[in-house]
Amino acid sequence: DAGVIQSPRHEVTEMGQEVTLRCKPISGHNSLFWYRQTMMRGLELLIYFNNNVPIDDSGMPEDRFSAKMPNASFSTLKIQPSEPRDSAVYFCASSLAQYQPQHFGDGTRLSIL
Amino acid sequence: AQRVTQPEKLLSVFKGAPVELKCNYSYSGSPELFWYVQYSRQRLQLLLRHISRESIKGFTADLNKGETSFHLKKPFAQEEDSAMYYCALSTGNQFYFGTGTSLTVIP
């Protein structure tokens, strides 16, 4: 398996634009997690899904952030409108179950100008 | 409540010196503990898990239920050990990460 695949690897866009981050989990994994990593706040869990259903989105910063998982092999994290303070590395991770070790993607390095 | 505590945000040691990254957890049941490592600009990778009782890259970690700790140790630090280290806990129901410790090994 290729592991968790995220795209794009890097994204630079202007404030106010819509940003969509994509994730393909490991096949057979039932849980998917979105994290944000910054120097100031470390690794923050934004939202996670079990069997494509959002379970806990309490980490989502505000209404500008939304996440979907239309099927078992694809998830998106959308920011609209984007702001400079959203600049961070966004990681997607998947696991067999929500309590099992997570496997991380390479992350998307997002810069909002 | 914070389930996993890593008290040191930054840790610097000299090459060849012993290193210990601290991790304490809060859980009354039977925990499963993990250490993840993240090298510069790379993904987080699972380093070791306590049930394996193995040594990876010279690192070991022992689960101490009495002290609710799972400290990561290496007797002689190497420059390539410089990275971010995250302790993680599985309760059998949820998975929690600590806030991480950035280790710098000084040549």
Side-chain angles (χ1 to χ4, degrees):
Chain A
D1 199 314
V4 176
I5 299 172
Q6 290 187 246
S7 65
R9 290 294 305 277
H10 304 273
E11 175 89 19
V12 180
T13 192
E14 291 188 344
M15 182 174 72
Q17 297 297 308
E18 178 179 292
V19 173
T20 300
L21 311 181
R22 296 172 176 79
C23 176
K24 182 181 188 308
I26 293 172
S27 177
H29 281 193
N30 295 319
S31 297
L32 183 140
F33 306 79
W34 281 102
Y35 291 90
R36 178 172 67 177
Q37 185 181 45
T38 60
M39 288 290 290
M40 291 295 294
R41 303 170 75 113
L43 192 66
E44 300 174 275
L45 176 64
L46 299 177
I47 185 171
Y48 77 91
F49 296 82
N50 273 351
N51 298 313
N52 314 338
V53 176
I55 301 301
D56 183 358
D57 65 353
S58 58
M60 296 285 261
E62 47 200 272
D63 292 345
R64 297 184 297 106
F65 285 68
S66 62
K68 293 182 180 178
M69 192 165 185
N71 57 61
S73 59
F74 184 66
S75 177
T76 59
L77 177 67
K78 190 171 290 188
I79 309 173
Q80 166 64 19
S82 58
E83 296 183 4
R85 60 193 168 119
D86 302 329
S87 298
V89 181
Y90 290 81
F91 285 102
C92 176
S94 71
S95 63
L96 286 168
Q98 66 194 64
Y99 54 87
Q100 292 281 2
Q102 296 172 21
H103 299 259
F104 283 76
D106 287 327
T108 295
R109 188 169 295 273
L110 177 65
S111 297
I112 309 297
L113 305 176
Chain B
Q2 187 69 27
R3 289 281 192 177
V4 182
T5 304
Q6 293 181 251
E8 302 141 329
K9 197 165 185 174
L10 302 170
L11 182 64
S12 295
V13 299
F14 285 101
K15 177 182 172 181
V19 61
E20 181 180 59
L21 292 92
K22 292 185 168 53
C23 173
N24 289 90
Y25 65 91
S26 173
Y27 181 58
S28 56
S30 295
E32 191 172 354
L33 277 298
F34 308 83
W35 276 99
Y36 280 76
V37 61
Q38 184 185 25
Y39 300 104
S40 180
R41 293 180 172 259
Q42 294 187 26
R43 67 175 71 183
L44 276 81
Q45 308 168 45
L46 182 63
L47 180 62
L48 53 81
R49 54 197 300 179
H50 90 271
I51 59 171
S52 301
R53 301 188 67 82
E54 57 193 345
S55 173
I56 304 292
K57 300 184 179 183
F59 284 99
T60 58
D62 291 318
L63 177 60
N64 186 324
K65 290 189 178 181
E67 295 182 359
T68 60
S69 68
F70 188 58
H71 303 326
L72 183 68
K73 300 177 184 178
K74 185 169 181 176
F76 307 104
Q78 302 298 315
E79 289 178 66
E80 56 264 29
D81 297 328
S82 295
M84 193 76 177
Y85 291 82
Y86 290 93
C87 183
L89 161 73
S90 173
T91 62
N93 194 35
Q94 295 284 10
F95 202 88
Y96 302 92
F97 280 95
T99 49
T101 297
S102 177
L103 173 67
T104 300
V105 180
I106 304 165

